[in-house]
Amino acid sequence: MSTGDFLNLHPAELKFPFELKKQSTCSLQLTNKTDQYIAFKVKTTNPKKYCVRPNTGIVLPRSVCNVTVTMQAQKEAPLDMQCKDKFLLQAVIAPNGATNKDITANMFNKEESNVVEEFKLRVVYIPANPPSPVPEESEEGSSPRGEDGSLNSSWPDVTTRSVEANQKLSSESMSIVSKLTDEKTAALKQSKKLQQELELMRKEAVKSRAGGYSIIFMVVVGILSFVVGYLIKQK
């Protein structure tokens, strides 16, 4: 926070989350420390790149005013993410009851014997998606640097473990597939055997029913023959 005689300004620098081809915004909070009306004006070294709302205004006594600064979408990232743009906020005492319409350029002219308070703010870019921090030591507690001080990469170890894990997984998968195939074959054989037994039982039942009908037929024929013979003898 920057502190002046008229205003307190927060933050002390403009921090923009930087992402290519996307707008970015940050806010300034102006706090009037006095019992008077304070007029302010915001300037920048690169006006085509930024939009300030409001860029001029009145901060009422013991009140707070928020200013939003929007950075236009950028097509290229600056070298080392460093920005040379700067902002200047000027503040002066305004007449009591003053409004935005009463603000003039001469109010901020020091040559007119005006007491102008100034705040200079630099622009800071921060990554929109900062990378995850890389631990200095491996999980086993060993240093990532070799005995000769050179940085040893952990990729070979990771790759070796991955290959071994894949080989183990492949062997286990083949064993499971083979076991399932054997179980499927056994189930098919058992099903076929049961079907054959059911077919045999069905045939035996048909033969049994056929034999039963033959015996009954023979009994009926015998009875009819006996009756016919008896009748003939009676005649």
Side-chain angles (χ1 to χ4, degrees):
M1 180 172 63
S2 298
T3 301
D5 294 333
F6 304 151
L7 300 175
N8 284 342
L9 189 63
H10 178 79
E13 56 187 14
L14 297 174
K15 295 182 179 181
F16 292 93
F18 188 90
E19 189 171 359
L20 289 177
K21 298 181 181 180
K22 287 190 177 181
Q23 288 187 347
S24 181
T25 62
C26 69
S27 296
L28 285 174
Q29 187 179 76
L30 284 60
T31 303
N32 188 348
K33 301 166 55 178
T34 71
D35 294 324
Q36 303 187 57
Y37 285 69
I38 303 297
F40 70 88
K41 183 177 183 178
V42 182
K43 298 179 179 180
T44 178
T45 57
N46 196 344
K48 293 182 179 181
K49 185 176 177 180
Y50 302 94
C51 178
V52 182
R53 291 290 183 272
N55 61 342
T56 60
I58 297 291
V59 188
L60 300 179
R62 305 294 175 180
S63 298
V64 176
C65 177
N66 291 317
V67 176
T68 301
V69 182
T70 301
M71 182 180 68
Q72 304 301 319
Q74 300 298 300
K75 296 180 180 180
E76 295 180 357
L79 184 63
D80 297 330
M81 293 294 286
Q82 299 296 319
C83 182
K84 297 181 179 180
D85 299 334
K86 291 180 175 59
F87 280 78
L88 175 67
L89 187 143
Q90 297 177 308
V92 296
I93 297 176
N96 288 338
T99 64
N100 293 345
K101 296 180 180 180
D102 299 321
I103 299 175
T104 63
N106 290 332
M107 294 175 64
F108 303 94
N109 191 345
K110 295 180 180 180
E111 296 179 358
E112 299 291 336
S113 300
N114 295 325
V115 179
V116 181
E117 187 172 73
E118 294 183 340
F119 298 89
K120 293 181 180 180
L121 301 95
R122 68 189 189 98
V123 175
V124 177
Y125 292 154
I126 56 177
N129 297 308
S132 301
V134 179
E136 296 182 358
E137 295 186 357
S138 61
E139 294 180 357
E140 292 79 11
S142 61
S143 172
R145 296 186 177 274
E147 295 180 357
D148 58 353
S150 61
L151 186 62
N152 292 329
S153 172
S154 61
W155 284 110
D157 292 340
V158 174
T159 304
T160 301
R161 291 179 191 143
S162 177
V163 171
E164 292 175 352
N166 289 337
Q167 290 176 347
K168 183 177 179 181
L169 179 61
S170 177
S171 178
E172 292 177 352
S173 299
M174 291 297 295
S175 177
I176 294 173
V177 170
S178 178
K179 183 177 179 181
L180 291 174
T181 301
D182 292 340
E183 291 178 354
K184 181 180 179 181
T185 301
L188 289 174
K189 289 181 178 179
Q190 185 68 22
S191 176
K192 186 175 181 180
K193 183 178 179 181
L194 290 173
Q195 289 179 355
Q196 291 174 349
E197 291 178 353
L198 288 172
E199 182 66 19
L200 181 60
M201 292 175 64
R202 186 183 66 81
K203 291 180 178 180
E204 289 178 354
V206 170
K207 289 180 180 181
S208 176
R209 287 197 296 271
Y213 289 138
S214 299
I215 294 171
I216 294 172
F217 180 76
M218 291 175 66
V219 170
V220 172
V221 170
I223 294 174
L224 290 175
S225 299
F226 176 79
V227 171
V228 172
Y230 177 78
L231 292 175
I232 293 173
K233 290 181 180 180
Q234 290 295 326
K235 289 180 180 182

